[in-house]
Amino acid sequence: MAGWDVHTHLIPPTVLAAAHRGEFGLSVDNGFLVVDGERLPLRRLADPAALLHWVSSQDLDGAVVSVPPALFRYDAGIEWTELVNQGLRELATPQLRVLAHLPLLDPAAPAVAAGLASEGVFSGFALGTPSYAGLDPVWRVLDALEAFTLIHPGHSDDKRLDSFYLSNLLGNPYETGLAAASLVFADVPGRFPGIRFCLCHGGGVTAAVAGRWQRGIDQDRPGIEPVSLPVAEALRRFYVDDLVHDDAVLELLTKTFGPERVLAGSDWPFPMGSDEVSAARSAAAEVLTRPLAKEVAEW
C-alpha cells in the first residue's frame, strides 16, 4: 500500500529567480533565501529531485507541496501571489501535487481561489495563520470546491518565544491551535462543511484544549457566540497530520479527530520533521489531494 505525504515544502523556482534579481524585497546570500529578514536554507528546499528521492525512499506515490510559511507574505499583494503560483505550476508533476497560495486578506482572494481551482493543476490551498476575521467569502468558495486546505502556522509575534527555539517548539503549535479556535468559534466547520481543512503538526495544541473550549461554550463565557456544532463534533470535520513525535499524543489525535482523519505528514525537509512516513496514514490522502478541476458558478 502506498500513499501521499501531505506536508512537504519547496521554494518555487520563480521565487528563486526573483530573489536573484533582487525583486519583491528578496535576496540570496551564501546559500540562503532572505525573506523579510528570515533566512531559508536553499539546499533541499530548492531541489525537487531531492523531494522525489524522499518519496521513493518512503515507497510513496508522491508528496503534496506547499511553500514554506515565510513565503505566505499576505501583505505583498496580488503580484506576489501570481509569482508564487506560477512557480508552483512549474513544480507540479504526477508525483508532486501542489497547494496554491492565496492572497488571503485581499478582497480578490475568493475570485483567485475559484480561478486557480478551475485550472486542474492545484490540489487545494495552503493557508497561514493570520486573523481569519471576515473571510466568509473565501470559505464560501472553498466550501463549494470541497477543497483540501492545509493550515500551516506562521511566525508568532510573541517576543517571549525568542529564546530556546520556542518560536518553533511552542509558537508553531500555539499558532495552529489559534487558527483552529478561530474556525471553531466562528462556526466555520458547521457553516462550510465541504472544506477539508488539515491542521499541520497534529493540530498543534488543539486536541489538548478542546475540552476547555467546550467548557467555555457551556458556561456562556464572554464573547462566545452560539455555534451549530459541539467542539468535539466540529473537530471531527478537520484532518490533521501525524507530525507530533509522541505516540501518546498520536493516540489523542485519533480519539479527538478520528483515526481516518490523521494523515501522514513529514514537514520535509525541515529538521523538526519526521524521518519516516506511516504507510497506513499516507493512503487516505490520495483521494483528498487529487488536483481540483471544478468551476464555482458565482465566479
Side-chain angles (χ1 to χ4, degrees), residues 218-292:
D218 294 343
Q219 293 299 309
D220 194 25
R221 293 293 78 207
I224 297 178
E225 300 293 335
V227 291
S228 65
L229 300 174
V231 172
E233 187 176 341
L235 294 184
R236 288 268 171 161
R237 298 195 177 184
F238 289 89
Y239 294 87
V240 295
D241 72 18
D242 60 358
L243 188 59
V244 292
H245 308 294
D246 188 322
D247 288 343
V249 175
L250 189 57
E251 183 177 350
L252 176 61
L253 298 185
T254 64
K255 292 179 178 179
T256 302
F257 299 97
E260 74 287 352
R261 296 267 170 166
V262 183
L263 309 176
S266 70
D267 205 6
W268 185 96
F270 287 106
M272 287 300 296
S274 62
D275 298 324
E276 61 182 3
V277 172
S278 162
R281 291 189 291 273
S282 70
E286 197 284 323
V287 174
L288 285 170
T289 63
R290 289 176 181 170
L292 297 166

Side-chain angles (χ1 to χ4, degrees), residues 24 27 63-64 122-123 129 138 141 145 177 214 223 237 262 278 284 287:
F24 291 96
S27 62
V64 182
F122 298 99
S123 290
T129 53
V138 177
V141 172
L145 294 169
Q214 186 61 54
R237 298 195 177 184
V262 183
S278 162
V287 174

Side-chain angles (χ1 to χ4, degrees), residues 9-11 16 42-52 91 268:
H9 299 287
L10 285 171
I11 297 170
L16 289 175
L42 294 177
R43 299 192 296 275
R44 291 188 295 171
L45 269 175
D47 187 357
L51 177 52
L52 290 171
L91 290 172
W268 185 96

Side-chain angles (χ1 to χ4, degrees), residues 12-179:
T14 51
V15 172
L16 289 175
H20 282 290
R21 295 191 300 266
E23 298 172 350
F24 291 96
L26 306 173
S27 62
V28 175
D29 177 44
N30 197 28
F32 287 83
L33 175 67
V34 183
V35 187
D36 301 327
E38 186 170 346
R39 295 170 65 86
L40 294 177
L42 294 177
R43 299 192 296 275
R44 291 188 295 171
L45 269 175
D47 187 357
L51 177 52
L52 290 171
H53 178 76
W54 162 259
V55 166
S56 176
S57 72
Q58 297 296 311
D59 294 322
L60 295 168
D61 291 320
V64 182
V65 176
S66 55
V67 299
L71 300 186
F72 287 142
R73 305 182 87 196
Y74 289 124
D75 59 352
I78 296 294
E79 290 185 358
W80 172 253
T81 299
E82 293 172 347
L83 178 81
V84 171
N85 285 329
Q86 179 54 37
L88 288 166
R89 291 183 187 97
E90 294 173 14
L91 290 172
T93 70
Q95 286 185 288
L96 297 182
R97 295 177 176 176
V98 294
L99 300 178
H101 176 60
L102 289 179
L104 191 61
L105 306 183
D106 191 286
V112 170
L116 294 171
S118 69
E119 295 181 16
V121 174
F122 298 99
S123 290
F125 304 92
L127 309 183
T129 53
S131 170
Y132 290 161
L135 291 186
D136 275 11
V138 177
W139 306 142
R140 193 170 297 113
V141 172
L142 301 191
D143 181 59
L145 294 169
E146 297 182 317
F148 183 79
T149 304
L150 189 76
I151 302 290
H152 195 292
H155 181 73
S156 173
D157 292 329
D158 189 337
K159 296 302 181 184
R160 295 174 297 173
L161 300 175
D162 289 348
S163 301
F164 311 116
Y165 198 57
L166 291 180
S167 60
N168 186 296
L169 301 181
L170 185 59
N172 278 14
Y174 163 77
E175 285 290 322
T176 306
L178 179 59

